[in-house]
Amino acid sequence: MVQIRYALWSAAHRLPLLLLTAWMGSPGIAHAAVDGGTDPCPRPAPGSAIAEPRDLHSVDGVLEVELKLHNHRESNGSIRYCYLLPGGAEAPTLRLKPGDLLILHLENDLDAVDSEAVGAGTPVHVHGHVKVHAKPADPCMSGMMSPTATNLHFHGLTVPPICHQDEVIKTSVQPGDPAFEYRFRIPADEPPGLYWYHPHIHGFSKAQVIGGASGALVIEGLERANPMLAGLPERVLVIRDQDLQNPDAPPSKSEPVVPRMLIDRDGDSANNGTGFGKPAKDLSVNFVPVPYPDYPPASLVMKPGERQLWRVLNASAITYLNLALLFNRAPQQLGIVGIDGVPLNRNGNPANAIEWRDHIGLPPGARVEFIVTGPPSGTPALLVTRTVDTGQGGENDPNRALLAVTAAPDAPEPQSTLAASPTPAPPPRRPWLGSVAPAHIRKLYFSEKLRDPDNPNSATDFYITVDGDTPTPFDPASDIPNIVVKQGDVEDWIIENRSTELHAFHIHQIHFLLMDWSGTPVDEPFLRDTVNVPYYNGRMLQYPSVRLRMDFRDPNTVGTFVYHCHLLEHEDGGMMGLIRVVPAE
Ligand SMILES: [Cu+2]
């Protein structure tokens, strides 16, 4: 058995186990929907049974999709965003095989609903002057970053950072523009697993994502990488965060402590260190909200003892998850087979491709795929997120319920099942990343600064800086890269955290290998595209860091793209940098 230290999964290990006795086995309570009949983005009531997102499969190597991004103001003032198919279905799961062609027509149907509420940023026009109601700009060159602009990022895919593929710095589609076409081929060697799509308009990413603009993308064939999965029913769970439905409510009386209410630098509920109290954001599971303070879980029925593959996406804008499945309050073993779209045997190791864990940490943007066994008949089961210690400067991510699982012999099967007799996947084309010597070593660091150092209530600036450079917020008008690398190279990046809150490092276009976690070597058999960087507590002799082996070998990485914190209010606030990968010759 390969011994692996999963840094992410142990990050919140010492925190208290969730005791959600109030909801154990009790039926979900249905509340009235927030909005009336004409809502084009209907959302289920709390306590509802979760529905699976619509599956769209490629046919003969092609998947063609029409998506419209719509927004809508709720009665509580927050703005809902939804990706709609022509028939009205929301946020479909795009399912493609390696080598398939994706053609996606994106239509921007956003309304200028009160821009102050929509995004914290200021509209930025990169190339040329802002001209309201001007002739439509070339969406490939527009660079317009405004509350009603949008685009798409295909998180985790190694497709080129060029317009109509996976480019987010200049690509900007305006309301009323003709449908914008994304068209690219999934690389033949893209690892099978869970990826996702969401908007990436600098300054406004958080508003759109927290409003619900996100969906899953599955690269099929996980059972070819891991034959132990053959024939398993599978389901996609998308966990999103959203503005609190009951922001003024006191914590539930069933909570063992009543923590002091604190506000962090972003204006969200601050981490109070107890694991309880008001969260920064509510969560939802496949759009079924699980609102503070009572957290009525969404519900799901499974056959007793049935094994399923669950593909879980943390599509939250700012919320960390630490998932556990409890039967009668006892944490169950979850068989992890993939992280961030990469199977656990990506290092070429044919065996030991399942790691059994009783909790799984998942930063915003990250994914995990694991085997679950349904509860026995009559045993109440609950998928929960346990608290995550985000540091004294971080948000409050308390213990809470997500999904009540009930066993029933007549439970319907999920809509998709993995192939029963898969042909084994070919081994990866390139040598395992861990065995390649880095051509360069670079150090970057996350930091935060009060705009007025004498006023703790002043706005905070967020930076990711190459060590030696002056911290500056990301400037979408600048074409000057912070880092230049050569295609074909592998590099080691040390990412330090000089702030007192947890950040989640993400880079577009590539995956990386976590080499060490705060100075401790780790040996992971898979790759990631998003990773926690532990916070500085003000007393440590060194800033905490992670060491990442960055893979620029794929020719698809040539071009200019971004790396950033995946807490989207930090990214929108400037915690992003520009990298250019130049051709090998
Ligand atoms: Cu951050």
Side-chain angles (χ1 to χ4, degrees), residues 369-453:
E369 292 161 284
F370 56 85
I371 299 170
V372 293
T373 304
S377 289
T379 299
L382 200 58
L383 180 72
V384 302
T385 176
R386 290 160 56 182
T387 185
V388 176
D389 178 8
T390 59
Q392 76 180 59
E395 278 82 31
N396 201 34
D397 289 339
N399 297 303
R400 49 187 142 163
L402 292 171
L403 181 65
V405 183
T406 311
D410 58 350
E413 287 296 306
Q415 61 195 5
S416 286
T417 299
L418 299 170
S421 357
T423 51
R429 278 191 297 154
R430 298 189 181 87
W432 173 239
L433 194 51
S435 65
V436 182
H440 293 279
I441 298 172
R442 301 178 199 264
K443 186 197 266 187
L444 293 79
Y445 63 92
F446 286 119
S447 64
E448 300 179 12
K449 205 176 74 190
L450 283 175
R451 214 161 283 171
D452 173 3

Side-chain angles (χ1 to χ4, degrees), residues 502-504 565 567 570 575:
L502 202 56
H503 295 288
C565 176
L567 271 76
H570 297 173
M575 208 171 236

Side-chain angles (χ1 to χ4, degrees), residues 69 83 104 106 108 110 139 143-146 148-154 165-174 180 182 197-202 205 208 213 508:
L69 179 61
Y83 287 118
L104 192 156
L106 175 69
N108 182 338
L110 295 181
M144 173 60 99
M145 305 286 152
S146 76
T148 55
T150 199
N151 60 13
L152 278 174
H153 171 46
F154 298 91
Q165 300 203 39
D166 186 32
E167 200 286 328
V168 299
I169 308 159
K170 297 199 169 86
T171 305
S172 177
V173 183
Q174 312 311 316
F180 181 81
Y182 285 91
Y197 57 91
H198 65 83
H200 208 293
I201 290 287
H202 181 61
S205 294
Q208 296 188 10
H508 290 209

Side-chain angles (χ1 to χ4, degrees), residues 270-585:
N271 179 22
N272 59 48
T274 66
F276 297 97
K278 190 195 290 186
K281 298 291 168 193
D282 278 338
L283 292 171
S284 69
V285 185
N286 291 1
F287 287 126
V288 178
V290 187
Y292 166 80
D294 293 327
Y295 310 121
S299 72
L300 170 70
V301 187
M302 279 173 81
K303 290 190 165 59
E306 180 183 36
R307 272 159 74 100
Q308 296 186 348
L309 174 73
W310 286 10
R311 305 182 189 261
V312 183
L313 158 62
N314 185 358
S316 296
I318 67 164
T319 307
Y320 291 87
L321 300 175
N322 182 13
L323 301 172
L325 180 65
L326 311 179
F327 289 180
N328 274 330
R329 287 189 253 162
Q332 301 300 299
Q333 293 292 311
L334 305 171
I336 296 159
V337 293
I339 296 277
D340 289 355
V342 184
L344 247 63
N345 54 358
R346 189 66 181 177
N347 63 353
N349 191 343
N352 303 322
I354 301 179
E355 266 296 311
W356 295 92
R357 297 277 151 174
D358 65 10
H359 65 104
I360 305 167
L362 214 55
R367 290 85 68 209
V368 62
E369 292 161 284
F370 56 85
I371 299 170
V372 293
T373 304
S377 289
T379 299
L382 200 58
L383 180 72
V384 302
T385 176
R386 290 160 56 182
T387 185
V388 176
D389 178 8
T390 59
Q392 76 180 59
E395 278 82 31
N396 201 34
D397 289 339
N399 297 303
R400 49 187 142 163
L402 292 171
L403 181 65
V405 183
T406 311
D410 58 350
E413 287 296 306
Q415 61 195 5
S416 286
T417 299
L418 299 170
S421 357
T423 51
R429 278 191 297 154
R430 298 189 181 87
W432 173 239
L433 194 51
S435 65
V436 182
H440 293 279
I441 298 172
R442 301 178 199 264
K443 186 197 266 187
L444 293 79
Y445 63 92
F446 286 119
S447 64
E448 300 179 12
K449 205 176 74 190
L450 283 175
R451 214 161 283 171
D452 173 3
D454 298 327
N455 176 6
N457 295 321
S458 69
T460 303
D461 287 321
F462 295 91
Y463 311 104
I464 181 164
T465 310
V466 176
D467 196 26
D469 292 353
T470 305
T472 357
F474 179 77
D475 176 5
S478 170
D479 285 330
I480 302 165
N482 302 94
I483 294 176
V484 178
V485 311
K486 201 167 74 183
Q487 186 263 315
D489 279 356
V490 161
E491 299 197 351
D492 273 10
W493 289 13
I494 296 157
I495 318 287
E496 230 171 47
N497 189 347
R498 300 185 184 176
S499 79
T500 57
E501 68 174 308
L502 202 56
H503 295 288
F505 177 83
H506 169 58
I507 184 166
H508 290 209
Q509 266 64 45
I510 72 162
H511 278 87
F512 49 76
L513 176 66
L514 177 63
M515 301 293 289
D516 69 51
W517 171 267
S518 247
T520 307
V522 293
D523 180 16
E524 297 189 327
F526 56 89
L527 306 173
R528 301 175 185 263
D529 57 43
T530 309
V531 69
N532 281 358
V533 185
Y535 62 84
Y536 176 64
N537 70 5
R539 298 183 304 278
M540 298 156 164
L541 299 175
Q542 277 186 332
Y543 292 115
S545 66
V546 296
R547 185 185 183 107
L548 310 176
R549 188 148 295 168
M550 313 292 284
D551 190 354
F552 302 103
R553 291 176 295 177
D554 194 310
N556 279 354
T557 62
V558 169
T560 303
F561 51 97
V562 290
Y563 52 86
H564 58 86
C565 176
H566 218 290
L567 271 76
L568 298 182
E569 59 195 10
H570 297 173
E571 178 213 310
D572 286 338
M575 208 171 236
M576 181 151 80
L578 202 61
I579 174 174
R580 181 161 299 147
V581 179
V582 298
E585 293 310 316

